[in-house]
Amino acid sequence: MSVKSCEKIEKSQVVLTIEVGAPEFEAAIEKAYQKMRKKINVPGFRPGKAPRKIIEGMYGAEVFFEEAMNIAFPEAYEAAVKEQDLQVVGYPTVEIEGQVTKDGFTFKATAPVYPEVTLGQYKGLSAPKEEVKVSAADVDERLKALTDRNTRLVSVDREAKNGDTVVIDFEGFLEGKPFDGGKGENYSLELGSNTFVPGFEDQLVGVKAGDEKDLDITFPEDYHQDLAGKAVVFKVKVHEVKEKEVPALDDEFAKDVSEFDTLKDLKADLKKKITAEREETAKRAFEDALMEQVADNITADVPDAMVEAQARQFLDNFKMQLAQQGIKYDDYMKATGMDESKLIDDAKEPALKQVRMDLAMAAIIKAENIDATDEEVEAEYKRMADQYGMDLETVKKYLLADQVKDQLKSQKAIAVVTDSATATKPEKKTAKKSAKKAEDAEGEEKSAEEKPAKKTTRKKAEKAEDAAEGEEKKPAKKTTRKKAEKEEETSAETK
C-alpha cells in the first residue's frame, strides 16, 4: 500500500489517493478465494475443493476481484490514515480510479477529519448571573410540600366537599348501553382535582357514604374520538368520604420528618438547602452563558459527519427518554406521523451548537495544558460514591477512569473561563408573556433534542402516550395531557 496524495478540502475533509500494489492485492485475492470457493460449483470437484486456477480458468481471472477489493480496502485505508496521522471522525466515501488488474488498483477515499480549531476570546467575558434570594414564602412552600407528603386521609361521616376524596364505583352508559373503559371500582377521586371530565366531580359535591347517584355528563368536543361531544350517564355508588388530616407545623412535626428537634431548625435547614440549590442553578446558567460565547467565538470548519453523529446521539437520548416514560418509539412515530429522517434534521441545529461547544472545550484544554492526575480521579470517584450512596468499586465498574478524567478536565476548562469572567446583573423583564403566548411557546414543535437528553417535544410525547395507552384510557377522565407533561418535565429534570 502507498499513499499517492493527501489533499485537504472544505468541511474539514481529506481526499486520500491510495494505491494497493500487486503483493497486497494477491493476498486479498487468495483470501477471497478461500471465502468464496464453497459457493462455486465446478464439475468434477466436491464443493470447496476446486483449485483457484481451475475456478479462474472457468469464470475469468476477475472472478475474485470484487471480494478481494472489499478485503483489501479496509486494511489499506486504515494504514493510510495511520501513516498520514489523521484523526478521522466518520466513514469515508470511496471511488475507484482506473482499471482493477492482478497488479492491484487505486482508489480515492474522502474522509471527514477532526477540524482545526482557532480559539477566539475565552477569557475576560461577561454574562448575567441571577442574585440568589430565598424568602420566608419559599421556605413555607417547601414546608407545605413536606406536610402534603405527610398528610393522610381519614374517613368522615358527612357530605363531601371540594378537597375531599370519595371512594366510588362508577359505570358510564351511552344511549343506555355501557361503553368500553367507562367503568371503575373502589376508585379514589379527589373532588376539585379536575381529574375527570368537566361536571363529574362537581356533581359529587354533597354526597355521603352509601349514596347512589346518576351523573349527566357531556364529553368535550376535543375528547376521545368515540365519545367527543356525546351525552352519557354515569351511575355512581359512594363507598366512603375522606378528608385530609394535615399535620400541625410544630416541633413534633420537625422531629417526625427530619433529624431536627425544632421547627425553627428545620426551617433554617430548608432555607440553607434552597439557597444552595439556587446558587448551583445560577452558577450553571452563568457557566452555560459564558461557554456559549466561547463556542460562538471559535473558528472551525465543522464536518457534517460530526453534526450527524451528534444529532443521532440526541435521537438515541430521546428514544431512551420515551422508554423511561413507558412509550414505545414505534408507537410515538405512528402517533405523530413523523419519520426518523425528520427527527434527525430537526436535531441538526442544536447538534451543531453542541459540537462547537465540544470543540471549544477541547481547544481550551489544549491551550491551557489542562490535565487531571490519578489522585484527582480517585478523589472524584470517592465523591461520586458518597454522593450517590454507592460502593466505590461499583462506581468504578460502571464509570471508566478515562471518562472521569475527561470530566475533570472539562470542569477545569470551564473554571478557566468563569474565573476570569465578570458577572452582570440580569436585565429586568419589562413585561410578562401573555397566557396565550406562553401556551403557544409550550406547544411549539422542537427538535429531537435541544440539549442532550433534556428538552423534548411535549405535544409529541403526549400523542405518543395516548397511542400507547389506546383503549385502556377511562373515558371518564380528562385527557392526561397535564399529567403527561408533568411526568415528562420531572423525568427530564431529574436526569
Side-chain angles (χ1 to χ4, degrees), residues 2-43:
S2 64
V3 179
K4 298 177 70 174
S5 66
C6 179
E7 177 189 1
K8 292 183 179 180
I9 60 174
E10 63 180 5
K11 283 289 185 180
S12 295
Q13 298 181 98
V14 297
V15 180
L16 289 165
T17 303
I18 304 169
E19 183 179 66
V20 177
E24 296 97 338
F25 195 44
E26 169 57 30
I29 292 173
E30 180 61 26
K31 289 179 182 179
Y33 160 68
Q34 296 294 337
K35 181 178 178 181
M36 297 173 63
R37 63 182 182 174
K38 291 182 179 179
K39 299 178 181 179
I40 300 176
N41 292 321
V42 177

Side-chain angles (χ1 to χ4, degrees), residues 166-307:
V166 291
V167 182
I168 58 174
D169 293 342
F170 63 87
E171 186 170 14
F173 294 85
L174 175 62
E175 297 178 352
K177 296 180 180 179
F179 52 85
D180 291 339
K183 184 176 182 179
E185 294 181 350
N186 291 316
Y187 190 93
S188 293
L189 173 63
E190 181 181 344
L191 303 185
S193 65
N194 298 319
T195 305
F196 280 20
V197 288
F200 193 102
E201 295 170 31
D202 293 341
Q203 295 183 56
L204 290 177
V205 173
V207 299
K208 296 179 66 175
D211 286 353
E212 295 186 13
K213 189 173 183 179
D214 290 351
L215 311 182
D216 294 317
I217 299 292
T218 300
F219 281 97
E221 294 294 338
D222 61 351
Y223 197 69
H224 192 285
Q225 185 177 0
D226 295 338
L227 295 167
K230 300 290 180 63
V232 301
V233 175
F234 280 96
K235 294 185 177 296
V236 178
K237 182 175 182 179
V238 183
H239 294 298
E240 200 173 358
V241 177
K242 298 180 178 181
E243 69 176 3
K244 293 178 181 178
E245 187 174 80
V246 182
L249 279 176
D250 53 21
D251 292 345
E252 289 302 315
F253 175 76
K255 292 177 184 177
D256 288 341
V257 301
S258 72
E259 70 271 27
F260 301 103
D261 292 330
T262 67
L263 183 62
K264 181 181 178 180
D265 289 342
L266 173 58
K267 285 184 175 181
D269 183 67
L270 289 176
K271 184 173 183 179
K272 181 180 177 182
K273 288 178 178 176
I274 297 170
T275 301
E277 291 167 6
R278 292 184 179 180
E279 286 177 345
E280 182 64 20
T281 300
K283 176 188 172 186
R284 294 298 181 197
F286 180 59
E287 291 174 351
D288 289 348
L290 291 171
M291 291 306 298
E292 284 179 10
Q293 292 180 54
V294 175
D296 289 340
N297 290 342
I298 69 169
T299 301
D301 195 6
V302 180
D304 293 337
M306 291 185 77
V307 178

Side-chain angles (χ1 to χ4, degrees), residues 346-388:
D346 288 347
K348 283 185 178 177
E349 183 178 345
L352 175 58
K353 291 181 180 179
Q354 183 62 48
V355 169
R356 289 182 65 85
M357 184 75 75
D358 294 341
L359 292 173
M361 189 80 75
I364 294 173
I365 291 170
K366 182 179 179 181
E368 297 288 332
N369 294 315
I370 293 172
D371 203 355
T373 65
D374 292 342
E375 291 76 16
E376 289 173 325
V377 171
E378 187 67 21
E380 181 65 9
Y381 269 130
K382 290 178 180 178
R383 186 196 67 79
M384 288 188 287
D386 292 341
Q387 179 180 350
Y388 298 110

